[in-house]
């Protein structure tokens, strides 16, 4: 069984930064491509960023490109999402997800096998 636990969310002002972390346990972390998604109230879960197993490849949603950075530390079994220049529209519950099948980063919900519980990010204007 694979477990993912997010942390680092909170309430910040527009323009501030946050770093989200997601710890993974249960199987060798380096076997997974990892992704971050977010879900605002009343909206579908949407892709934010993803990283390949070996950190060689990343992809981002257009809405966060240039502001967010995904990274991973395979020695610590952790994936990060550095969020800079936050905007009120970034407010959502942020989820990390693990993909056991694809080695390259994927951007759709259905391609991920395991999910964390989520961490709330609220950006005030």
């Amino acid at each position: 069984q694979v477990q993912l636990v997010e942390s680092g969310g909170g309430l910040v002002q527009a323009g501030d930064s946050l770093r989200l972390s997601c710890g993974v346990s249960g199987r060798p972390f380096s076997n997974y491509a990892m992704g971050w998604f977010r879900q605002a109230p009343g909206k579908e879960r949407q892709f934010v960023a993803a990283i390949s197993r070996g950190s060689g490849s990343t992809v981002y949603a257009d809405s966060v490109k240039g502001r967010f950075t995904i990274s991973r530390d395979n020695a610590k079994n952790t994936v990060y999402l550095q969020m800079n220049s936050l905007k009120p529209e970034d407010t959502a519950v942020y989820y990390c997800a693990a993909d056991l099948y694809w080695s390259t980063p994927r951007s759709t919900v259905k391609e991920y096998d395991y999910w964390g519980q989520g961490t709330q990010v609220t950006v005030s204007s």
Side-chain angles (χ1 to χ4, degrees), residues 35-101:
W36 285 96
F37 291 76
R38 66 188 182 187
Q39 189 166 17
K43 296 188 177 181
E44 293 187 351
R45 193 166 298 189
Q46 65 173 192
F47 171 73
V48 175
I51 189 166
S52 61
R53 292 175 182 172
S55 302
S57 179
T58 57
V59 292
Y60 295 92
D62 288 343
S63 59
V64 307
K65 203 171 292 183
R67 299 189 297 123
F68 291 11
T69 303
I70 187 171
S71 62
R72 65 190 293 163
D73 185 336
N74 285 351
K76 294 183 178 179
N77 293 352
T78 302
V79 61
Y80 304 98
L81 185 68
Q82 178 66 43
M83 306 186 293
N84 298 330
S85 302
L86 282 161
K87 304 176 181 180
E89 52 263 44
D90 295 319
T91 295
V93 177
Y94 282 71
Y95 299 89
C96 68
D99 174 4
L100 293 179
Y101 183 74

